[in-house]
Amino acid sequence: MTQEQDRHQQRQQKIKEKVDERVAQATEEKGLLLVITGNGKGKTTSGFGTVARAVGHGLQCGVAQFIKGTWDNGERNLLEKLGVAFHVMSTGFTWNTQDKQADTIAAQAVWQECLKMLQDPNLDVVLLDELTYMVSYNYIELDEVLNALQQRPAQQSVIITGRGAHRSIIELADTVSEVRNVKHAFEAGVKARKGVDW
Ligand code: ATP
Ligand code: MG
């Protein structure tokens, strides 16, 4: 072994020891609250990536989507076939038509389904896609959201996506990632693409 290889091996060994030490310290087992926020693309796809990961392990998952899709939903087409329950806002809130009363009714209907999911000990992973906007627009009470999250079954994980996550939700969360927009094809005039954007 050359001196260079030897030094490399020693460095790697030190890193491994540190990682092992930290892995040994992480002993708590509980469901996690994840928040994926920020202005860049990748929040909803990250949430669904986690749901797919869980389904792949045979875990039970549920999804609520708070923005009315104007087009076909690829994830729903796939995951419903695999037994994932979807609760999608059917009328009301879209970016185009903001009618506060209709939006509140539509948001509340989906939220009632969320409350059921957040009380269901058989659900391992729950995705609340675009929930952040419902809180920002006061369609759903922040305190109700915080209470439901705090009182959920201890082993249930929840993923919340959407821009501008309220700071109380961020505080409550275990893991928070902010997706930063570096650039997006749409800004260069490229159309949203099936299979990539929805
Ligand atoms: P995705 O669903 O692709 O993971 P997202 O959940 O991070 O995106 P949203 O704000 O929910 O982003 O917007 C959903 C749609 O808007 C997607 O079609 C996405 O490609 C597009 N989009 C996301 N971020 C941007 C951006 N910074 N500029 C323009 N369009 C965006
Ligand atoms: Mg999204």
Side-chain angles (χ1 to χ4, degrees):
M1 199 185 290
T2 65
Q3 245 191 349
E4 174 62 25
Q5 282 172 327
D6 193 33
R7 269 205 301 271
H8 175 76
Q9 201 188 30
Q10 280 177 18
R11 268 200 307 269
Q12 292 304 108
Q13 181 59 29
K14 273 209 180 115
I15 292 169
K16 185 180 177 318
E17 279 166 17
K18 284 215 170 108
V19 171
D20 286 350
E21 202 180 294
R22 292 179 67 178
V23 170
Q25 277 168 9
T27 52
E28 195 180 351
E29 285 237 26
K30 63 163 195 170
L32 298 169
L33 175 58
L34 315 181
V35 174
I36 316 286
T37 190
N39 295 331
K41 169 176 163 56
K43 300 175 291 294
T44 295
T45 40
S46 169
F48 276 116
T50 308
V51 170
R53 181 176 274 182
V55 170
H57 285 293
L59 300 180
Q60 295 300 313
C61 302
V63 174
Q65 290 195 287
F66 281 99
I67 305 287
K68 183 189 173 191
T70 47
W71 37 43
D72 210 10
N73 180 333
E75 294 92 343
R76 187 177 184 183
N77 294 346
L78 176 72
L79 292 166
E80 263 187 346
K81 288 189 197 130
L82 298 173
V84 177
F86 271 70
H87 306 282
V88 181
M89 205 181 262
S90 55
T91 55
F93 193 90
T94 69
W95 298 116
N96 310 324
T97 61
Q98 285 182 32
D99 169 344
K100 192 162 169 66
Q101 204 188 357
D103 288 349
T104 306
I105 291 168
Q108 282 295 326
V110 179
W111 177 240
Q112 293 314 308
E113 297 302 326
C114 293
L115 287 173
K116 285 184 206 155
M117 291 198 286
L118 294 170
Q119 288 164 10
D120 183 351
N122 294 319
L123 277 179
D124 301 295
V125 176
V126 175
L127 170 60
L128 306 177
D129 188 37
E130 324 293 356
L131 175 72
T132 58
Y133 305 103
M134 303 301 109
V135 174
S136 310
Y137 283 82
N138 290 316
Y139 295 160
I140 303 171
E141 289 241 12
L142 174 66
D143 281 348
E144 251 193 71
V145 173
L146 295 174
N147 281 339
L149 291 170
Q150 277 165 325
Q151 286 161 22
R152 76 188 194 278
Q155 298 305 316
Q156 184 183 81
S157 294
V158 176
I159 309 146
I160 293 175
T161 75
R163 298 175 191 206
H166 193 283
R167 106 187 102 70
S168 308
I169 295 179
I170 287 179
E171 270 165 31
L172 186 64
D174 300 288
T175 298
V176 180
S177 293
E178 186 167 334
V179 185
R180 185 169 66 89
N181 182 45
V182 176
K183 60 165 134 170
H184 193 288
F186 184 70
E187 294 155 12
V190 184
K191 268 182 100 165
R193 199 161 173 81
K194 178 159 85 175
V196 176
D197 289 302
W198 82 91

